[in-house]
Amino acid sequence: MTKKSARTAGPTALALQGGGSHGAYAWGVLDALLETGFTFDAVCGVSSGAILATMAVQGLVRNGATGARTAMAAFWDRVVATNMFAPLTGHLDRWVPGFEIGREFGNSIAMQGMSALVNMFGAATINPLGQNPLRPILADLLDPDALIHPSAKRLFIAATAVESGRPRIFTNQDITTDALLASSCLPMLFPPVTIDGIAYWDGAYSGNPPLAPLLALNPTRLVLIRAQSRLRAGVPTQTNDILNRVQEIAFQTAIDAECAMLPPSLAFTEYTADQALAGLTPESRANADRTFLDRLFTAGRAGA
């Protein structure tokens, strides 16, 4: 965690990075902060960070900090209970001999097989119907009325327009299941989410998350919770490890540039996930096993 000094009290802004299942680390940090009395006036998130932000904002409306913590936990409970990647990996048995054995070792093993097949045949072949296991979970948990309640915190989630590469910011009244799916759309597995005729991918490609919507509110305090590794020991040599590190670097570049330009009068607190994520494979971003998520959640609480 890093900090710098503040000016007089004013709005507090919260920024939540995305990282698939690695977002359970950010969940742990935010859970601990809320438990100890942390409050915020506005939040921006992408991917799993967008979902956490949405759950927290609507939970706060229902029952304050307890409601926010309950709503965030309910999302991860549903991810575990529904074995969310089963619709994508369940049919691989007929293509990969012995693939069913991999299920015993969790979804990250299943996703290694999925990644290999996507590289060979393309996402449209592997997932021809464009199934996204998050859709029914989000459709059930999303509470649009809570998001537009007069007491709701300002909420910004970002997705990346495929053709322009620019972020689109969705605010409280704009946030739908499709908007959340767009913010968390991994193009290697899912088709782009089309909203108002524009195709979108994961928001982390254009900012992880973008800070501009928060800084426009002139906050006096900014809290950033990362769910991607900035630092990783060792130089990768295998193709998959190289691509993973390239993606990690790319996902941090935009926000690091924004952080470097923060005004000196702004109080800035940053929670990093480097230690908690050390040694994890790219496929672990799709690991929905309870023990794995709980380990990252516990690490996040300890980091806070």
Side-chain angles (χ1 to χ4, degrees), residues 69-279:
R69 296 174 66 204
T70 299
M72 292 190 297
F75 167 72
W76 292 104
D77 287 345
R78 286 289 298 272
V79 167
V80 172
T82 57
N83 190 17
M84 60 174 288
F85 281 94
L88 297 181
T89 60
H91 63 283
L92 296 183
D93 295 345
R94 67 178 184 270
W95 291 347
V96 182
F99 185 82
E100 67 280 358
I101 298 173
R103 290 206 194 93
E104 299 176 7
F105 300 95
N107 283 324
S108 60
I109 300 297
M111 291 307 296
Q112 288 182 20
M114 174 68 76
S115 296
L117 289 172
V118 167
N119 289 336
M120 292 174 63
F121 302 111
T125 300
I126 303 304
N127 186 17
L129 300 180
Q131 296 181 83
N132 191 322
L134 278 175
R135 181 175 288 280
I137 296 174
L138 295 175
D140 190 40
L141 294 178
L142 186 63
D143 185 352
D145 290 337
L147 295 180
I148 60 172
H149 190 272
S151 67
K153 307 298 184 182
R154 297 284 299 274
L155 174 61
F156 307 94
I157 68 170
T160 304
V162 177
E163 293 180 272
S164 71
R166 297 177 62 83
R168 173 172 174 179
I169 306 299
F170 298 87
T171 58
N172 296 60
Q173 67 272 15
D174 306 319
I175 293 171
T176 62
T177 297
D178 276 346
L180 290 172
L181 290 175
S183 183
S184 55
C185 177
L186 296 175
M188 292 72 70
L189 294 179
F190 308 116
V193 178
T194 301
I195 300 174
D196 299 331
I198 298 175
Y200 293 98
W201 282 340
D202 194 301
Y205 292 115
S206 54
N208 196 14
L211 299 183
L214 298 176
L215 297 179
L217 303 177
N218 195 30
T220 55
R221 183 184 182 195
L222 172 65
V223 176
L224 168 63
I225 305 177
R226 295 186 185 259
Q228 298 271 350
S229 295
R230 290 184 71 193
L231 306 174
R232 185 175 291 277
V235 178
T237 57
Q238 301 300 312
T239 300
N240 201 41
D241 295 332
I242 292 171
L243 292 175
N244 177 51
R245 187 57 184 148
V246 167
Q247 179 171 271
E248 287 178 338
I249 293 170
F251 279 172
Q252 301 289 13
T253 299
I255 193 168
D256 283 348
E258 287 187 283
C259 287
M261 299 298 291
L262 292 176
S265 58
L266 178 65
F268 178 53
T269 304
E270 175 184 20
Y271 296 90
T272 60
D274 296 339
Q275 184 175 354
L277 303 182

